[in-house]
Amino acid sequence: MIPLSDHNPLQRLPIVTIGLIVACVWIFVAVQPAKSASPLETTRDAQVRELEFTIDYAAVPCEVTRQKPLTENEFRAVYEAQLSDQCLAHPAGKAIDPNKHIYLAIFYSMFLHGGWLHLGGNMLFLWIFGNNVEDRIGRFRYLLFYLAAGFLATLGHVIAQ
């Protein structure tokens, strides 16, 4: 069952929740690469663009645990050879994105989505439940809660890998 609304009246406008929804939608539409930028672009080109964006901006479990960007060899092992473990015992080769800030990638990941359905589902739940939480605990504590939950979710992803 998908909730469409709730019956909890709000005491004040949920500014933080609205801001988070606007930020997530804007990042998905304007920043993340579209599935296909033009009719002339092949599916393969679009996939390469998406993968490059992910490697440059998203939190990659191996990068978080080692606190440094993936090497070219690790990238090949994961994305070309389809190996399940990104962290090679002896990662040779240069970093794919040596300027990537691993900890900012954890923050960025809180605003990235895998598709319209992912974005829509998350924003629906954020609106229905987030506005009540913001109303109850206050704007500043709600923003801290959102960021802490996003950080813990990323750590859960890292541990699960």
Side-chain angles (χ1 to χ4, degrees):
M1 179 181 297
I2 298 175
L4 298 178
S5 65
D6 63 9
H7 300 289
N8 300 328
L10 299 175
Q11 302 299 315
R12 56 188 162 182
L13 184 67
I15 293 171
V16 175
T17 301
I18 292 169
L20 291 170
I21 291 171
V22 168
C24 287
V25 171
W26 181 81
I27 288 168
F28 183 76
V29 172
V31 177
Q32 282 186 248
K35 298 294 179 193
S36 181
S38 76
L40 301 175
E41 184 178 50
T42 66
T43 302
R44 173 98 171 118
D45 292 340
Q47 290 171 338
V48 167
R49 251 185 330 103
E50 287 181 59
L51 184 57
E52 287 173 347
F53 180 86
T54 300
I55 293 299
D56 288 343
Y57 295 102
V60 177
C62 181
E63 293 178 333
V64 174
T65 58
R66 284 205 342 237
Q67 300 177 10
K68 60 184 183 178
L70 286 177
T71 65
E72 291 172 351
N73 291 344
E74 289 170 314
F75 177 81
R76 284 189 192 94
V78 174
Y79 295 103
E80 291 176 9
Q82 304 269 326
L83 298 177
S84 61
D85 188 11
Q86 296 168 327
C87 291
L88 299 177
H90 303 286
K94 66 178 188 169
I96 291 176
D97 184 358
N99 297 321
K100 181 176 182 177
H101 195 290
I102 304 305
Y103 300 109
L104 275 179
I106 293 171
F107 175 73
Y108 297 155
S109 292
M110 293 180 216
F111 297 93
L112 302 179
H113 293 85
W116 284 105
L117 191 59
H118 182 208
L119 177 70
N122 280 11
M123 296 309 99
L124 175 66
F125 277 78
L126 183 58
W127 176 250
I128 290 173
F129 301 110
N131 61 8
N132 296 314
V133 176
E134 178 180 352
D135 199 40
R136 173 84 173 161
I137 68 174
R139 292 177 176 141
F140 182 72
R141 290 189 345 189
Y142 172 65
L143 181 60
L144 290 179
F145 172 74
Y146 181 89
L147 295 173
F151 179 77
L152 291 173
T154 302
L155 289 183
H157 174 68
V158 169
I159 291 168
Q161 292 291 315

